[in-house]
Amino acid sequence: KIVLNLKQVEEMDSSGLGALLFGKRQANNAGGNIVLVSVSPAVQSLLRIAQLTRVFDTFKTVKEAVKSYGK
């Protein structure tokens, strides 16, 4: 279970998306998951355009993300 804090990530390109997807696949294969925290508007827009908002759960705070794993 991974909480990836993107607070300092202002922009992302296709390589960044590829890295996120690779990590997500690896985590899922191991029975885990990756959620994203503090996603900037630019990165959120990119996730929407790439239709990855269905793939990644996003949260405003680390506390909210960690709490989501308790479900």
Side-chain angles (χ1 to χ4, degrees):
K1 296 178 180 177
I2 299 170
V3 174
L4 188 59
N5 189 339
L6 300 177
K7 185 175 183 175
Q8 295 184 1
V9 178
E10 295 177 17
E11 297 178 347
M12 187 176 294
D13 61 12
S14 61
S15 296
L17 286 180
L20 287 178
L21 287 169
F22 178 78
K24 176 82 167 175
R25 190 174 324 119
Q26 294 293 96
N28 289 347
N29 288 342
N33 192 24
I34 293 180
V35 297
L36 307 178
V37 174
S38 299
V39 180
S40 72
V43 174
Q44 185 66 40
S45 177
L46 183 62
L47 290 172
R48 259 193 307 278
I49 290 168
Q51 298 183 0
L52 294 177
T53 54
R54 294 180 241 162
V55 174
F56 290 100
D57 292 325
T58 60
F59 298 90
K60 290 184 180 186
T61 67
V62 170
K63 186 175 181 177
E64 290 174 6
V66 170
K67 189 176 178 181
S68 77
Y69 280 129
K71 294 181 181 178

